[in-house]
Amino acid sequence: MNKVRPKKSLGQHFLHDQQIARRIVDALDVKGPDAAVLEIGPGMGVLTQYLLQRAELDLKVIEIDRDSVAYLHKHYPEVLKGRIIEGDFLEIDIDKLFPGPFAIVGNFPYNISSQIFFRALEQRHRVTQVVCMLQKEVAERIAEPPGSKTYGILSVLLQAYFDIEYLFKVPPGVFTPPPKVMSAVIRLKRNGVERLACNETLFVQVVKQAFNTRRKTLRNALKNLTLAAEISALPIMEKRAEQLSVNDFVELTSLIERSRGGTTTPG
């Protein structure tokens, strides 16, 4: 098998530009105890080859496509021996892959990039960093500050736990087949927030509910949460979701929790 044919069903667009591949790998800023790295969707190994050159990395790769797995076994028989996992990152038991902290790198399929980030959020106490290429619009949304029209659920949830850097744009022509949109590379580094200063489950609920009807004021968008009258009367409830920072959402969640007779114990 000399090459893998890209499968539309898997959202495969294989990067063939070596310079961009090296830039993505160079953006992975891990060393020492943080050197465990999981590459998602290695395909034919365009990133993998440069990751393998970094001796400090404890690298594993996970690939759902059987043809790509066969290609990697054939072309990297020794260096990837015992490092290839055939499976779906969205379903794999991550505890069996790495016992401690790890970083994620990859050229994410456009159709599941958001799901990958939500899985990384589930593992936020172990994921130290994410360096990835994805659709430019999604990359911008994740990195955008409050006030932007593209600032949304994923922006708030990721920015709560990660410092996010928009690194560079990538044109369609460096892929096979070329996608119909621009791509971009971003880097997420875990910040110092172990737990938010509010109930984190309620925080997620508030953020999602607020953005589900983002054109409405928070007073109307959060009606389904059956808010106390004193919460509905607050000036912040005149705002729309996109106007609130992470800290604003944390404070609002704490207020809602207290109004229900709960504590503000994180968790």
Side-chain angles (χ1 to χ4, degrees):
M1 180 185 291
N2 292 325
K3 283 195 174 182
V4 178
R5 292 185 64 181
K7 297 176 181 62
K8 192 173 182 179
S9 62
L10 294 177
Q12 289 177 327
H13 296 274
F14 292 130
L15 177 68
H16 56 72
D17 187 300
Q18 301 299 317
Q19 185 179 2
I20 290 175
R22 186 178 284 281
R23 285 182 72 188
I24 293 170
V25 171
D26 287 347
L28 190 64
D29 183 21
V30 293
K31 48 182 146 337
D34 295 336
V37 174
L38 177 65
E39 182 187 359
I40 297 175
M44 290 183 285
V46 66
L47 297 185
T48 317
Q49 61 184 328
Y50 297 114
L51 289 165
L52 288 167
Q53 291 176 10
R54 294 181 56 172
E56 80 277 16
L57 301 183
D58 173 18
L59 177 67
K60 289 185 172 69
V61 303
I62 185 164
E63 176 59 69
I64 198 171
D65 178 27
R66 289 183 178 179
D67 290 342
S68 294
V69 170
Y71 179 96
L72 293 170
H73 277 300
K74 179 180 178 182
H75 291 267
Y76 301 91
E78 295 302 321
V79 287
L80 281 181
K81 189 174 183 180
R83 299 177 184 230
I84 303 172
I85 298 100
E86 182 175 351
D88 185 347
F89 172 72
L90 301 179
E91 298 178 359
I92 198 80
D93 184 351
I94 293 176
D95 291 336
K96 292 182 179 178
L97 295 183
F98 296 107
F102 66 99
I104 293 172
V105 65
N107 174 17
F108 292 174
Y110 292 159
N111 55 347
I112 62 164
S113 61
S114 293
Q115 292 168 267
I116 291 173
F117 283 116
F118 280 116
R119 188 82 205 275
L121 276 167
E122 290 174 8
Q123 298 288 326
R124 61 185 175 272
H125 299 302
R126 297 172 58 199
V127 174
T128 59
Q129 189 173 153
V130 181
V131 174
C132 61
M133 180 157 55
L134 62 164
Q135 187 174 339
K136 177 174 169 282
E137 285 75 11
V138 179
E140 289 173 342
R141 185 182 310 143
I142 289 170
E144 280 290 278
S148 163
K149 294 293 184 186
T150 57
Y151 178 76
I153 294 172
L154 209 50
S155 320
V156 176
L157 298 184
L158 287 170
Q159 288 176 28
Y161 301 102
F162 294 89
D163 294 327
I164 301 169
E165 300 168 87
Y166 184 96
L167 299 181
F168 57 90
K169 293 185 290 188
V170 181
V174 300
F175 296 93
T176 304
K180 295 178 180 178
V181 294
M182 289 285 289
S183 301
V185 176
I186 58 174
R187 177 169 57 205
L188 294 74
K189 286 188 176 181
R190 190 70 170 86
N191 61 25
V193 177
E194 287 299 316
R195 284 185 176 274
L196 300 179
C198 66
N199 182 297
E200 291 177 315
T201 302
L202 181 59
F203 173 79
V204 173
Q205 188 181 0
V206 169
V207 171
K208 287 184 175 180
Q209 188 68 41
F211 279 103
N212 279 343
T213 50
R214 62 183 298 149
R215 291 183 180 179
K216 294 184 178 181
T217 63
L218 290 172
R219 183 174 293 113
N220 291 318
L222 299 179
K223 269 186 176 177
N224 289 350
L225 297 182
T226 319
L227 302 179
E230 65 267 25
I231 299 294
S232 294
L234 292 171
I236 194 174
M237 303 304 284
E238 292 291 339
K239 295 184 176 183
R240 292 188 298 274
E242 68 199 40
Q243 296 174 280
L244 271 62
S245 67
V246 171
N247 286 338
D248 290 335
F249 274 111
V250 169
E251 289 175 15
L252 178 58
T253 303
S254 292
L255 290 171
I256 293 171
E257 189 178 14
R258 282 203 298 271
S259 74
R260 294 175 173 180
T263 67
T264 53
T265 304

